[in-house]
Structures are given as C-alpha cells and as structure tokens.
Amino acid sequence: MKKTLLLILSAAMVFAACNRDEKEERKISKRNYSITKENAYNNLFMDSMSVADYIVQNEIPDSTARRIISFYNNRNYEYAWFSPDGVSEQAMGFTSLLNFTDDTSASLKKLHRTMHEYIGAENLKVTPANKSVLQTELLLTENLIHYTKSNFKKGYVKRKEIEKFIPYVKEDAVEQADSLLAELKKQKKDFADINKPYKLLSEQLQTYLQLEKDKRWMLIDGDLKTFKPGKNSPIIAAMKQNLFMMGDLSAEDSSGLYDDHLVSGIKSFQQRNGFTPDGKVSDKLINLMNITPKQRIKQLLINMNRMRWLPYETDGKLILVNTPAFTLRVTDGKKEVFTMPVVVGKEGHNTTIFSDMLTTIVFSPYWNVPPSIVKSEILPSIAKDPSYLDRNNMEITKEVNGLPEVRQKPGEKNSLGKVKFLFPNSFNIYFHDTPAKALFDKDVRAYSHGCIRLGDPAKLASYLLKNDKSWDDTKINAAMNKGEEKFVKLTEPVPVFITYYTAWVDDAGKLQFREDIYGHDVEVTKKMF
C-alpha cells in the first residue's frame, strides 16, 4: 500500500500528466506557483514532501490522499490553519464546528485538546520546524475533507470550492467580490444553497459591489450644526441619498431638508449598527456613515468566510453568542426561541471563539477568583484596605505557590450574581448573572474578564430546565436566592457556540453591522486584501 501511495503522491506533486488520463488529472488541482511569501494569506509554507510523509505514515486512503494533495497544491503548500503568529481564525471556527459532530473518537478528542492549547497559548509563534503544529495542520485538513463529505449534501460543495474555504492569497476586494458572485451565479448547486446566513450576506455583497461601481455614494463632510431639524443643505441631501442606497430610506429623496423622513432613515441606520435609535446625528454616526462601500465589501467577505463554520442544518437546541453584537440567541432547529443582551470580555480579556456543551447550572454560586485577578486586583486592594475581603464577602481558602486562593461567597455582592452556567472548557469561560445590571443599558458592552454576563439568566435557566418536572420558575427563583451553592446537571446538554460576526442579515432581512471590538477584522484585512 505504501508503495502505491508514494507513486500517487509523486505523480500528483510533479503532476506528471503524461502518465495519467484526463479524468484522473481533474481530481487534483495543479500546483499554484503564483502564491509567494509576498502575497500569501498566511505567509507560512511547508515542504511538499511533509504531506507525502503524513499520508504514508497515517495510511490515508487514496481518495482522501488525492484531496489533501489537491488542497495544498492549490495553496502552493501554504499553511491553511496556522500563520507565523499562531492559530488562524479559520482553525478556531472549524474546531468549534468539529466539536458539534457526533464523532467521539479518541483522535478527535486529542485534536480538540491540542487546538485548545494552541488557541489559549499566549504569544504563540509558529515556524515550519514545529513538527507538532505541522501534524495538527494536516490533521485539520484531513478532518475538513471527512467533514464536508459526511455533512454536506452531495454535489453542493465541490472539491475546488472546499479548497477556497480558507483564503490563500491577497486580492483586491472588488475583484474578489466580483469573482465570488460570478461563481455563485454560475453554479446550479452551491454552498450558499445550504447555508442561509452565507447566502443572505452574498446578496448584500452584490448590493455593496454595485454601490462601489456606480460611484454614487458620497462622503458626508459637514458640521454637526448642519444636522438640525429645519436645516437645508446639500450635505443633508447627500446623507439622504446614501441612506436610500443602503436601504434605510424607503423612498428616494433629493431634498436637502432635515425632516422626519431623514430622521426615520437615521434611526434605521442606527438600529442596523447596534445603537439606540434616537434619530440624532453625532460624530460617531457620521464616522459610521463614512465607511466606504469598498470597506463594507471587505467586511462582508470576511464575515462570509466566518459563516462557513456555522453548524450545518441544526436540529434541537442551540445557544449562539455573537460577541461583537453583545447578544445571546437560543434556537430550536430553525426556530428562534429568544434572544438576550450579554456583556462580554473587554479588550485584553477577549472572549474566545469556541464551542462546547452546556452541562450544568449552578445556583447561588461561589466565585473562585482566577489567580490572575487575585494577583493584579485583589492583593493590591487588600494592601490598601485590610478590610477589603470582608467588605466584599470574600475569603481565602488556601495558598498555592505563595498566592492565596480567594473565593467570593454566594450573595447579593457576588460577581457571578445568583446563577452560572457551565460548559466546561480550557478557557475558563462560562455564562453568569451579574449584580451590575446597568451595563445592559449600554450599546457597547465589553466589560468582563472574558466570561459572558447574561441580561436575563433566570429565563435561560427556566428554558434549560423546562422538561425537568422537579424544577419550575418558583423553585428556580428560590435556588437563586437561597445563598447556598447548588449544582444541577442537565439531562440533555445543549451546544454553545461563541462566535464573532461583525456583519450578518437578521431575521427581518436587515443587514447588520457591528464594531470590530477585538480587532479581528483588522488582522484578517491585512492578510486577505
């Protein structure tokens, strides 16, 4: 078998067309030598023979081996899942998706552990000499091929499209959009047909591509004093035109009058950008309106790529958190059950992109303060005020390596509020209540140390326990206020996906944009365009 595989690999990598018929050649993409370190997406390359070694050592079946070779030929053996700076966004997304499968094999569990170590590592640097990363890279690609074969409807995601799931070369954004939309139009069956969020965003991409080409969009450059009721100005007319082209005004309006029609358009725009729709023009509003169509095209392409890693045709309960939207969404199959506002990690304490299973509810929880917070916040506070622990209902349980272990007792002052929800993970992230309710009134809600605070935790607890006859809302409320920690194991764990979308189409068909709170869009933009 090894001899056969080596022959296949050798033929594929040098692409010896003279020894193969036309049908066989179509199964493997030609090596794309145009990709270089200067224009590569990830700017990290492997030796082609390392792919051959992996295939032989792991006795990969011929059909999968051809797919792997073709995948890397298309990338000129550029890494797909890692860059010199560590784990790529696509690797995080696909790892989350793999966690949602029914595969419980030891090899997949090991892959998850390895990926969580890499994702959680600080200042991870990757070089081709790192054999462990290389093995993980190739294992992820092998799993991508298996996943698409097992989970996508036959004929909707072809080999060449899978090879484009992960960007591999920098291109002009307009050219990328043109090429992608032309491909979607040409194909009778396509990934967009089985991924509704992706399809909806592709339709918006067409709108913004046309805006870029028409050159009718105008920069809004005016003093805030101009934007007052009753004022009349060419800049107001320009704002109306932009709002109409973006779908925020229902009818075209060429007048320069600041009137109720303009106010309605401003409110729509504010709502689509995650702000309280008060209809007032501010510097922030003008800055958002001045994001050019080309910039929006980049944002749409980035988020379409992210949507490739959404769960495919889900059944049953699912909890989705979109970090930039500060929103938790509960669905059951294709039906939305409810949404609620959340508070996520502040800059420097980013909420990680990952997935896991929510298994446990903890009523009246203790808060075991992470060592990093004990060191950076608790100890300095104790030094300033010896009564700090007592005032905050905290206690030291023991000391480890010279650092005290601190926990906060259940009660009104507890930072986790009255309930928390566990989906065990290596990032120590979970959902919880909070006594700081005022934060939910803010439009931008990035204030935590990484965990996710819920706007209505009792509602989530009630939903998760609705099929458990031993619990009702009265008992849930009592447990939340008892002041005695109680763990409740769910009979049916629920998948949780922590995602990062700065653009999507909502259930009302409105295109939503959000601020790139962690700079992920900025980093991908540097690599992709």
Side-chain angles (χ1 to χ4, degrees), residues 206-218:
Q206 179 67 66
T207 298
Y208 276 84
L209 183 61
Q210 201 59 49
L211 277 179
E212 172 65 16
K213 291 180 176 180
D214 288 348
K215 303 300 181 185
R216 291 178 60 205
W217 182 91
M218 296 178 66

Side-chain angles (χ1 to χ4, degrees), residues 237-501:
M239 182 178 282
K240 284 183 175 180
Q241 177 176 297
N242 286 1
L243 287 169
F244 171 70
M245 290 188 295
M246 290 186 291
D248 294 299
L249 282 179
S250 57
E252 197 161 8
D253 184 349
S254 60
S255 77
L257 181 65
Y258 193 111
D259 53 15
D260 289 344
H261 193 214
L262 174 65
V263 172
S264 69
I266 291 170
K267 286 182 177 180
S268 171
F269 182 85
Q270 288 173 320
Q271 188 277 328
R272 290 194 309 105
N273 283 271
F275 291 95
T276 303
D278 58 12
K280 297 177 182 178
V281 177
S282 63
D283 287 331
K284 176 74 173 177
L285 182 85
I286 291 175
N287 288 339
L288 283 171
M289 284 191 174
N290 280 338
I291 296 175
T292 66
K294 188 166 186 177
Q295 287 173 295
R296 290 303 193 192
I297 287 170
K298 291 178 181 180
Q299 190 174 2
L300 291 169
L301 287 168
I302 288 168
N303 283 277
M304 285 176 70
N305 276 328
R306 288 175 181 148
M307 284 173 178
R308 295 188 186 280
W309 315 113
L310 279 172
Y312 172 70
E313 291 194 345
T314 59
D315 293 318
K317 297 172 185 175
L318 178 66
I319 299 172
L320 281 163
V321 174
N322 185 7
T323 307
F326 313 108
T327 303
L328 176 147
R329 185 172 189 245
V330 177
T331 61
D332 194 340
K334 294 181 179 179
K335 177 187 173 185
E336 179 182 291
V337 183
F338 59 83
T339 64
M340 71 174 66
V342 298
V343 172
V344 302
K346 58 190 173 183
E347 191 174 356
H349 296 274
N350 299 6
T351 299
T352 307
I353 301 168
F354 73 104
S355 73
D356 228 303
M357 302 297 287
L358 198 160
T359 60
T360 308
I361 302 174
V362 185
F363 294 111
S364 297
Y366 281 95
W367 177 39
N368 298 300
V369 185
S372 59
I373 298 178
V374 171
K375 189 174 182 179
S376 63
E377 299 180 28
I378 303 296
L379 291 182
S381 296
I382 293 172
K384 291 179 182 177
D385 177 11
S387 67
Y388 177 84
L389 291 179
D390 286 336
R391 286 192 303 99
N392 288 280
N393 204 27
M394 291 180 171
E395 61 185 4
I396 294 174
T397 56
K398 60 182 177 180
E399 193 171 283
V400 178
N401 297 325
L403 188 69
E405 283 194 356
V406 179
R407 71 177 183 178
Q408 191 174 37
K409 302 171 189 176
E412 295 297 328
K413 290 184 179 180
N414 191 286
S415 295
L416 304 186
K418 300 176 180 180
V419 61
K420 69 177 178 179
F421 304 82
L422 303 180
F423 36 104
N425 58 84
S426 58
F427 311 113
N428 197 28
I429 290 176
Y430 45 86
F431 300 146
H432 64 87
D433 182 20
T434 175
K437 305 294 186 185
L439 293 178
F440 293 104
D441 295 329
K442 296 180 178 292
D443 292 326
V444 177
R445 298 186 291 274
Y447 293 97
S448 81
H449 285 89
C451 286
I452 297 165
R453 306 174 191 176
L454 305 180
D456 193 348
K459 186 172 187 176
L460 182 59
S462 178
Y463 176 73
L464 294 172
L465 294 171
K466 69 177 183 177
N467 295 326
D468 188 334
K469 293 180 180 179
S470 62
W471 287 95
D472 58 24
D473 288 349
T474 301
K475 289 184 178 179
I476 288 171
N477 183 62
M480 287 175 65
N481 290 281
K482 191 173 183 180
E484 183 179 305
E485 189 173 64
K486 182 176 180 62
F487 285 72
V488 179
K489 200 85 170 175
L490 297 183
T491 53
E492 294 182 12
V494 178
V496 173
F497 271 74
I498 312 298
T499 63
Y500 193 92
Y501 295 108

